[in-house]
Amino acid sequence: MTKKQRALEVISRLKEEYPDAGCTLDYDQAWKLLVSVRLAAQCTDARVNVVVEDLYKKYPDVDALADADVDDIEAIVRPCGLGRSKARDISACMKMIRDEYGGKVPDDFDALLKLPGVGRKSANLIMGDVFGKPAIVTDTHCIRLVNRIGLVDGIKEPKKVEMALWKIIPPEEGSDLCHRLVYHGRDVCTARTKPYCDKCCLADICKKAGV
């Protein structure tokens, strides 16, 4: 089985297993997803979803958050960890969106990468979830699982994993596959315990099943 064949089979099976998988960060506007994904670094999505409720209550739009004092932002987002740097990035990012993009999040990958605090993972998430464009989000679940399954061979650097996956995954499937890998990584192919290979829908095609 080639990597491309394995990838198509993984996509098919995970689609069946997690038909409704999507982003686990709550948002109803593009700028809110940008804020949440920055806060999610080294923090759970569940906690971020709680914390941003207070943030948006006080600062309900891009302009309000851009004008907010960094100390005030930090006080609210502190429970997500790394409060100071996250608050600084969020403030600078909202200012740039307001001043350079008329308050709208750009739908161009390279433009997204120029926003403070936005890396490839965040930019891909925005491209795929907000704008419906081809995207591959290489978070920790994705990197762990594609290595275990055998879609990539011992690659841990996010950008290299992303580039390797682009070669074998149909562009229109990338975003949804990455969301499904998150669900599968939390429920079955776990990081902190031994993977539950006995109940895995990919066990017979996974290179490390049972290991």
Side-chain angles (χ1 to χ4, degrees), residues 26-46:
D26 295 337
Y27 71 98
D28 56 9
Q29 296 176 68
W31 68 271
K32 290 183 178 179
L33 183 55
L34 264 181
V35 170
S36 288
V37 76
R38 180 65 189 96
L39 292 176
Q42 297 180 42
C43 181
T44 65
D45 290 0

mmCIF file of all heavy atoms in Angstrom, residues 26-46:
data_model
loop_
_atom_site.group_PDB
_atom_site.id
_atom_site.type_symbol
_atom_site.label_atom_id
_atom_site.label_comp_id
_atom_site.label_asym_id
_atom_site.label_seq_id
_atom_site.Cartn_x
_atom_site.Cartn_y
_atom_site.Cartn_z
ATOM 1 N N ASP A 26 -14.874 27.584 19.726
ATOM 2 C CA ASP A 26 -16.135 28.264 19.411
ATOM 3 C C ASP A 26 -15.851 29.634 18.787
ATOM 4 O O ASP A 26 -15.072 30.415 19.340
ATOM 5 C CB ASP A 26 -16.967 28.466 20.684
ATOM 6 C CG ASP A 26 -17.411 27.147 21.293
ATOM 7 O OD1 ASP A 26 -17.473 26.141 20.566
ATOM 8 O OD2 ASP A 26 -17.685 27.131 22.515
ATOM 9 N N TYR A 27 -16.503 29.923 17.669
ATOM 10 C CA TYR A 27 -16.362 31.248 17.053
ATOM 11 C C TYR A 27 -17.512 31.454 16.069
ATOM 12 O O TYR A 27 -18.079 30.498 15.550
ATOM 13 C CB TYR A 27 -15.018 31.374 16.310
ATOM 14 C CG TYR A 27 -14.949 30.543 15.041
ATOM 15 C CD1 TYR A 27 -15.195 31.124 13.799
ATOM 16 C CD2 TYR A 27 -14.679 29.184 15.085
ATOM 17 C CE1 TYR A 27 -15.170 30.358 12.638
ATOM 18 C CE2 TYR A 27 -14.638 28.412 13.931
ATOM 19 C CZ TYR A 27 -14.885 29.012 12.710
ATOM 20 O OH TYR A 27 -14.865 28.255 11.565
ATOM 21 N N ASP A 28 -17.853 32.716 15.842
ATOM 22 C CA ASP A 28 -18.855 33.020 14.826
ATOM 23 C C ASP A 28 -18.353 34.085 13.849
ATOM 24 O O ASP A 28 -19.076 34.500 12.947
ATOM 25 C CB ASP A 28 -20.179 33.453 15.470
ATOM 26 C CG ASP A 28 -20.019 34.635 16.419
ATOM 27 O OD1 ASP A 28 -18.918 35.239 16.458
ATOM 28 O OD2 ASP A 28 -20.991 34.957 17.131
ATOM 29 N N GLN A 29 -17.119 34.523 14.060
ATOM 30 C CA GLN A 29 -16.481 35.471 13.143
ATOM 31 C C GLN A 29 -15.001 35.112 13.023
ATOM 32 O O GLN A 29 -14.411 34.588 13.968
ATOM 33 C CB GLN A 29 -16.628 36.908 13.660
ATOM 34 C CG GLN A 29 -18.074 37.407 13.723
ATOM 35 C CD GLN A 29 -18.158 38.794 14.327
ATOM 36 O OE1 GLN A 29 -17.709 39.766 13.740
ATOM 37 N NE2 GLN A 29 -18.723 38.884 15.527
ATOM 38 N N ALA A 30 -14.425 35.441 11.878
ATOM 39 C CA ALA A 30 -13.036 35.054 11.604
ATOM 40 C C ALA A 30 -12.061 35.593 12.648
ATOM 41 O O ALA A 30 -11.153 34.883 13.089
ATOM 42 C CB ALA A 30 -12.631 35.530 10.206
ATOM 43 N N TRP A 31 -12.241 36.844 13.069
ATOM 44 C CA TRP A 31 -11.289 37.428 14.023
ATOM 45 C C TRP A 31 -11.317 36.704 15.367
ATOM 46 O O TRP A 31 -10.298 36.600 16.045
ATOM 47 C CB TRP A 31 -11.535 38.930 14.195
ATOM 48 C CG TRP A 31 -12.805 39.305 14.882
ATOM 49 C CD1 TRP A 31 -14.028 39.515 14.307
ATOM 50 C CD2 TRP A 31 -12.992 39.523 16.295
ATOM 51 N NE1 TRP A 31 -14.962 39.836 15.263
ATOM 52 C CE2 TRP A 31 -14.356 39.857 16.492
ATOM 53 C CE3 TRP A 31 -12.143 39.468 17.403
ATOM 54 C CZ2 TRP A 31 -14.892 40.130 17.747
ATOM 55 C CZ3 TRP A 31 -12.667 39.737 18.664
ATOM 56 C CH2 TRP A 31 -14.017 40.068 18.837
ATOM 57 N N LYS A 32 -12.489 36.171 15.717
ATOM 58 C CA LYS A 32 -12.602 35.445 16.976
ATOM 59 C C LYS A 32 -11.829 34.123 16.918
ATOM 60 O O LYS A 32 -11.239 33.692 17.916
ATOM 61 C CB LYS A 32 -14.065 35.187 17.321
ATOM 62 C CG LYS A 32 -14.826 36.450 17.721
ATOM 63 C CD LYS A 32 -16.261 36.130 18.129
ATOM 64 C CE LYS A 32 -16.995 37.391 18.566
ATOM 65 N NZ LYS A 32 -18.394 37.104 18.953
ATOM 66 N N LEU A 33 -11.826 33.484 15.750
ATOM 67 C CA LEU A 33 -11.041 32.254 15.620
ATOM 68 C C LEU A 33 -9.553 32.563 15.714
ATOM 69 O O LEU A 33 -8.791 31.800 16.313
ATOM 70 C CB LEU A 33 -11.365 31.547 14.300
ATOM 71 C CG LEU A 33 -10.658 30.203 14.072
ATOM 72 C CD1 LEU A 33 -10.904 29.225 15.220
ATOM 73 C CD2 LEU A 33 -11.079 29.577 12.747
ATOM 74 N N LEU A 34 -9.138 33.691 15.163
ATOM 75 C CA LEU A 34 -7.735 34.111 15.280
ATOM 76 C C LEU A 34 -7.339 34.282 16.745
ATOM 77 O O LEU A 34 -6.281 33.838 17.171
ATOM 78 C CB LEU A 34 -7.515 35.440 14.546
ATOM 79 C CG LEU A 34 -6.990 35.411 13.117
ATOM 80 C CD1 LEU A 34 -6.826 36.830 12.609
ATOM 81 C CD2 LEU A 34 -5.686 34.645 13.009
ATOM 82 N N VAL A 35 -8.200 34.940 17.510
ATOM 83 C CA VAL A 35 -7.936 35.144 18.944
ATOM 84 C C VAL A 35 -7.870 33.798 19.658
ATOM 85 O O VAL A 35 -6.937 33.524 20.422
ATOM 86 C CB VAL A 35 -9.035 36.028 19.576
ATOM 87 C CG1 VAL A 35 -8.910 36.029 21.108
ATOM 88 C CG2 VAL A 35 -8.956 37.453 19.047
ATOM 89 N N SER A 36 -8.851 32.947 19.399
ATOM 90 C CA SER A 36 -8.933 31.666 20.108
ATOM 91 C C SER A 36 -7.750 30.761 19.796
ATOM 92 O O SER A 36 -7.228 30.089 20.690
ATOM 93 C CB SER A 36 -10.244 30.955 19.757
ATOM 94 O OG SER A 36 -11.338 31.607 20.358
ATOM 95 N N VAL A 37 -7.343 30.729 18.547
ATOM 96 C CA VAL A 37 -6.250 29.821 18.195
ATOM 97 C C VAL A 37 -4.933 30.294 18.813
ATOM 98 O O VAL A 37 -4.078 29.485 19.177
ATOM 99 C CB VAL A 37 -6.144 29.641 16.662
ATOM 100 C CG1 VAL A 37 -5.503 30.829 15.980
ATOM 101 C CG2 VAL A 37 -5.360 28.381 16.317
ATOM 102 N N ARG A 38 -4.793 31.609 18.997
ATOM 103 C CA ARG A 38 -3.598 32.113 19.699
ATOM 104 C C ARG A 38 -3.644 31.720 21.175
ATOM 105 O O ARG A 38 -2.651 31.286 21.745
ATOM 106 C CB ARG A 38 -3.504 33.645 19.563
ATOM 107 C CG ARG A 38 -2.271 34.244 20.275
ATOM 108 C CD ARG A 38 -0.981 33.783 19.623
ATOM 109 N NE ARG A 38 0.201 34.158 20.374
ATOM 110 C CZ ARG A 38 0.835 33.363 21.243
ATOM 111 N NH1 ARG A 38 0.367 32.137 21.492
ATOM 112 N NH2 ARG A 38 1.921 33.765 21.859
ATOM 113 N N LEU A 39 -4.815 31.810 21.766
ATOM 114 C CA LEU A 39 -4.953 31.443 23.179
ATOM 115 C C LEU A 39 -4.804 29.946 23.398
ATOM 116 O O LEU A 39 -4.432 29.495 24.485
ATOM 117 C CB LEU A 39 -6.323 31.898 23.704
ATOM 118 C CG LEU A 39 -6.546 33.405 23.808
ATOM 119 C CD1 LEU A 39 -7.973 33.697 24.258
ATOM 120 C CD2 LEU A 39 -5.543 34.044 24.769
ATOM 121 N N ALA A 40 -5.075 29.159 22.371
ATOM 122 C CA ALA A 40 -5.067 27.700 22.508
ATOM 123 C C ALA A 40 -3.660 27.101 22.595
ATOM 124 O O ALA A 40 -3.511 25.929 22.925
ATOM 125 C CB ALA A 40 -5.822 27.062 21.345
ATOM 126 N N ALA A 41 -2.633 27.899 22.324
ATOM 127 C CA ALA A 41 -1.268 27.393 22.443
ATOM 128 C C ALA A 41 -1.009 26.969 23.885
ATOM 129 O O ALA A 41 -1.170 27.774 24.805
ATOM 130 C CB ALA A 41 -0.262 28.471 22.017
ATOM 131 N N GLN A 42 -0.659 25.688 24.077
ATOM 132 C CA GLN A 42 -0.404 25.117 25.402
ATOM 133 C C GLN A 42 -1.600 25.280 26.344
ATOM 134 O O GLN A 42 -1.441 25.492 27.555
ATOM 135 C CB GLN A 42 0.867 25.730 26.006
ATOM 136 C CG GLN A 42 2.121 25.426 25.186
ATOM 137 C CD GLN A 42 3.370 26.017 25.782
ATOM 138 O OE1 GLN A 42 3.568 25.981 26.985
ATOM 139 N NE2 GLN A 42 4.231 26.561 24.934
ATOM 140 N N CYS A 43 -2.795 25.229 25.792
ATOM 141 C CA CYS A 43 -4.017 25.329 26.580
ATOM 142 C C CYS A 43 -5.096 24.522 25.875
ATOM 143 O O CYS A 43 -5.049 24.359 24.649
ATOM 144 C CB CYS A 43 -4.448 26.801 26.687
ATOM 145 S SG CYS A 43 -5.950 27.048 27.676
ATOM 146 N N THR A 44 -6.062 24.017 26.613
ATOM 147 C CA THR A 44 -7.118 23.219 25.998
ATOM 148 C C THR A 44 -8.145 24.120 25.312
ATOM 149 O O THR A 44 -8.396 25.249 25.750
ATOM 150 C CB THR A 44 -7.863 22.366 27.049
ATOM 151 O OG1 THR A 44 -8.553 23.244 27.952
ATOM 152 C CG2 THR A 44 -6.895 21.474 27.823
ATOM 153 N N ASP A 45 -8.739 23.608 24.247
ATOM 154 C CA ASP A 45 -9.786 24.361 23.547
ATOM 155 C C ASP A 45 -10.961 24.635 24.479
ATOM 156 O O ASP A 45 -11.578 25.698 24.414
ATOM 157 C CB ASP A 45 -10.268 23.576 22.315
ATOM 158 C CG ASP A 45 -9.209 23.536 21.209
ATOM 159 O OD1 ASP A 45 -8.129 24.106 21.407
ATOM 160 O OD2 ASP A 45 -9.483 22.923 20.159
ATOM 161 N N ALA A 46 -11.264 23.669 25.342
ATOM 162 C CA ALA A 46 -12.394 23.840 26.268
ATOM 163 C C ALA A 46 -12.188 25.052 27.175
ATOM 164 O O ALA A 46 -13.112 25.841 27.400
ATOM 165 C CB ALA A 46 -12.578 22.573 27.104
#
